[in-house]
Amino acid sequence: MKDTARANIGKFRDPFVTADGHERARVSLTKPETLWFNTGTLCNIECINCYIESSPSNDALVYITETEVMAYLDQLEARRWNVREIGFTGGEPFMNPQMIGMTRAALARGYEVLILTNAMRPMMRKSMREGLLELHASYGDKLTLRISVDHYTAAHHDAERGVGSFAKTIEGMEWLRDNGIRMAVAGRSMWDESDAEARAGFAALYARHGFEIDARNPGETVIFPEMDMSVEVPEITTACWGILGKSPDAVMCSSSRMVVKRKGAEKPAVLACTLLPYDPQFELGETLAQAERDVQLNHPHCAKFCVLGGASCSA
């Protein structure tokens, strides 16, 4: 946070006004498409640049339960959000012992389900593999696993995630391939290469392993911009929409919310953004009704990652 303060001195202080006195941009929930659940911040590995600081010891966000997920699915129907997709992220979702049950609950109600995973040992446990096979047999391509593959080379991937992690992830992906379970990939743009070069590298990786993933489709191979908190970024004003030729409806918080369970909390909370789990100004309340209010773009990630980077966590 000290680097952020230096790079963006004077900025992102007032949720309604920018440092130079202009009206800060805000985003309304105009087209709900995805409701995310953070399954907990515990992870089997610790990545160098993990935005949520997941690790084998970080339980700041504890395991959410199937009962809690189902309560929010009830709220979805009551509020008539008409979302198409339920997303699960972590941490590593397959660390949560109720992962299969939560997924089944969402699929049974007709939603598509997207699970973000590193496809390593937690997913490869016998109980999880059996559960995934059962879900695939019942719901087919309504279930997608998006695999975190930081780079298409083992060297770069392992530099972020630990020696040997690339091979373990590929092993998990091969198991998913062999069982016909739909996959997508999330990569990163932290290396000095163009988007075209990155996608060509992923295409070659998929071809070598027979993965039926389209490297050129941003919905199947997502290349996330980096969230370097030490880089100066502009604040987004209401005038920026016209200057950039961009609509607020294109920003992630216009179409999604995330449910988390904080350590020590009695109930889960709904957040405006999947990228800002620890910033209290983006916590909207305990219910989906409370989470329908506008979101002020008062964070560097709002500018760099969403408005200027154009990234989205959804499929």
Side-chain angles (χ1 to χ4, degrees):
M1 295 301 292
K2 293 180 180 178
D3 288 341
T4 304
R6 285 198 297 268
N8 297 289
I9 188 167
K11 297 180 179 180
F12 305 106
R13 292 183 177 179
D14 188 315
F16 299 100
V17 181
T18 63
D20 57 3
H22 291 89
E23 182 182 358
R24 185 177 303 284
R26 65 183 184 277
V27 174
S28 301
L29 184 69
T30 54
K31 47 170 188 146
E33 294 180 353
T34 305
L35 180 62
W36 289 92
F37 291 93
N38 188 292
T39 61
T41 40
L42 287 174
C43 188
N44 56 303
I45 57 176
E46 186 171 2
C47 302
I48 293 175
N49 289 313
C50 179
Y51 78 94
I52 203 170
E53 300 174 356
S54 299
S55 75
S57 60
N58 181 10
D59 61 350
L61 302 182
V62 297
Y63 290 151
I64 200 163
T65 68
E66 182 179 349
T67 298
E68 290 165 337
V69 167
M70 291 180 69
Y72 281 97
L73 298 181
D74 290 340
Q75 290 183 48
L76 274 182
E77 295 175 4
R79 302 301 300 173
R80 297 183 179 180
W81 279 21
N82 296 318
V83 307
R84 64 173 180 82
E85 177 185 64
I86 301 299
F88 292 99
T89 184
E92 168 51 49
F94 290 103
M95 297 275 286
N96 188 315
Q98 298 189 32
M99 189 64 239
I100 298 300
M102 293 187 293
T103 304
R104 184 186 297 108
L107 289 167
R109 301 218 192 180
Y111 298 108
E112 297 176 28
V113 170
L114 178 66
I115 303 174
L116 277 52
T117 177
N118 56 39
M120 296 174 72
R121 182 166 296 176
M123 188 198 78
M124 292 295 282
R125 287 180 293 167
K126 183 179 178 181
S127 61
M128 295 299 173
R129 285 186 287 123
E130 290 176 347
L132 285 171
L133 292 176
E134 175 197 334
L135 293 173
H136 176 65
S138 299
Y139 300 101
D141 284 349
K142 296 281 283 186
L143 172 65
T144 301
L145 272 63
R146 180 188 286 166
I147 317 302
S148 298
V149 185
D150 285 346
H151 197 259
Y152 51 85
T153 66
H156 282 327
H157 179 93
D158 285 2
E160 290 297 308
R161 294 178 173 257
V163 175
S165 60
F166 184 82
K168 291 176 182 176
T169 290
I170 294 298
E171 179 185 358
M173 293 177 72
E174 290 174 338
W175 180 84
L176 293 168
R177 173 204 64 196
D178 292 346
N179 288 283
I181 298 174
R182 187 179 181 189
M183 288 186 287
V185 157
R188 299 169 76 169
S189 63
M190 62 185 298
W191 294 275
D192 187 18
E193 59 187 7
S194 68
D195 182 80
E197 290 170 333
R199 294 188 183 281
F202 276 109
L205 173 69
Y206 303 157
R208 284 197 302 273
H209 293 276
F211 297 149
E212 293 185 5
I213 307 170
D214 187 348
R216 290 168 178 78
N217 181 342
E220 294 189 30
T221 302
V222 189
I223 308 293
F224 284 112
E226 283 309 296
M227 296 180 288
D228 186 348
M229 293 290 282
S230 67
V231 174
E232 183 178 5
V233 295
E235 294 182 283
I236 305 300
T237 69
T238 54
C240 288
W241 302 123
I243 295 169
L244 296 170
K246 190 165 187 174
S247 168
D249 291 347
V251 180
M252 190 162 55
C253 50
S254 73
S255 61
S256 69
R257 293 289 186 263
M258 183 170 75
V259 179
V260 305
K261 182 74 176 290
R262 300 196 188 282
K263 187 175 183 179
E266 290 186 10
K267 297 180 180 179
V270 187
L271 310 186
C273 180
T274 61
L275 306 176
L276 298 167
Y278 304 127
D279 191 327
Q281 69 179 315
F282 293 94
E283 185 166 322
L284 304 177
E286 294 178 350
T287 68
L288 296 188
Q290 293 169 321
E292 290 173 354
R293 60 187 172 92
D294 290 356
V295 177
Q296 301 297 128
L297 301 186
N298 192 34
H299 194 280
H301 288 351
C302 301
K304 187 174 189 296
F305 191 83
C306 293
V307 176
L308 302 176
S312 172
C313 287
S314 177

